[in-house]
Amino acid sequence: MYVDTIERPDTATLVSAAQDGDAMAWERLIEEFSPMLKARIRRFRLSHEDAQDVLQTTWLLAWQNLRSVADGQRMAGWLATIAFRECLKLTKRTKEICTPDLDTLGSTDDVDRELARIWLAGTLDALVEELPAAQRVLFRALTETSEPHYVDVARRLGRPVGSIGPTRARTFAKLRGLLQAREITRDFLD
């Protein structure tokens, strides 16, 4: 039985063609990488409209800077980095605390717990900003997914895999120290 297969160009070939102005190659790149970008953007728990804006901005920036891509095989990582940075910019610009309808929480203890959680989330964001840049970047990379893999984080940050665990330990120790300096302990959280 003869099966005619359509040869699919690899990413590097598509990038090169798109750099040369091939609109079809650019469309294929969008088709190929949009699902991955949407999944990464979703991790930031943005509204649908904000997520769409980040996706469009990511593709716009990618198009504007496409000539800077020297290795087309690294397109996925390059796009993911653009999307990650755009998500961070958006969350910093629109840093709003969504206050729940406290009447639906029930008891006074539930209300107190929810208000403490909201306050602590804002406090933690402020404390993360006090970390050295390398620790701040690592903290965000580790907390953007529920199950971060050191290999993925190391690759994305351009660091050796063996450095992620020790840097994570130092980062969390520094955060614990910052929390303790503000007298925020486990007793406060319970």
Side-chain angles (χ1 to χ4, degrees):
M1 177 173 165
Y2 175 75
V3 176
D4 187 23
T5 59
I6 298 172
E7 188 174 315
R8 181 185 152 138
D10 69 354
T11 301
T13 303
L14 287 173
V15 170
S16 179
Q19 287 172 329
D20 291 337
D22 184 338
M24 293 299 290
W26 179 249
E27 289 298 321
R28 296 264 313 263
L29 288 169
I30 291 172
E31 287 174 24
E32 182 175 337
F33 291 109
S34 284
M36 177 271 296
L37 289 172
K38 288 176 184 177
R40 289 187 177 263
I41 293 166
R42 237 187 332 264
R43 293 176 184 165
F44 278 82
R45 296 190 174 109
L46 303 173
S47 70
H48 175 73
E49 293 80 15
D50 286 344
Q52 288 299 105
D53 287 347
V54 168
L55 181 64
Q56 288 177 356
T57 302
T58 299
W59 283 115
L60 176 64
L61 291 170
W63 175 253
Q64 290 172 342
N65 297 289
L66 189 60
R67 294 223 178 264
S68 70
V69 178
D71 181 359
Q73 292 300 98
R74 296 176 158 256
M75 186 72 169
W78 184 67
L79 288 169
T81 301
I82 294 171
F84 178 76
R85 289 178 180 160
E86 289 306 307
C87 286
L88 286 179
K89 283 181 195 173
L90 180 70
T91 56
K92 284 181 182 176
R93 267 195 319 263
T94 61
K95 201 172 205 168
E96 299 172 7
I97 296 178
C98 298
T99 306
D101 181 3
L102 298 178
D103 293 333
T104 65
L105 289 174
S107 73
T108 304
D109 289 344
D110 291 339
V111 171
D112 290 346
R113 232 182 270 105
E114 185 62 17
L115 289 173
R117 186 193 65 74
I118 292 168
W119 176 82
L120 187 59
T123 301
L124 184 58
D125 285 343
L127 294 178
V128 168
E129 287 300 315
E130 292 181 29
L131 293 172
Q135 290 180 351
R136 191 170 51 244
V137 168
L138 179 63
F139 179 84
R140 289 187 178 126
L142 290 170
T143 57
E144 74 178 10
T145 64
S146 58
E147 295 181 31
H149 296 284
Y150 283 8
V151 173
D152 296 335
V153 171
R155 187 177 306 126
R156 196 173 85 224
L157 298 179
R159 297 184 186 168
V161 175
S163 73
I164 301 299
T167 306
R168 176 190 176 276
R170 288 190 299 277
T171 301
F172 280 52
K174 175 95 170 161
L175 274 175
R176 272 192 298 279
L178 292 170
L179 286 166
Q180 288 170 352
R182 287 161 180 76
E183 297 181 358
I184 302 171
T185 63
R186 284 190 190 274
D187 296 338
F188 173 82
L189 302 174
D190 291 336

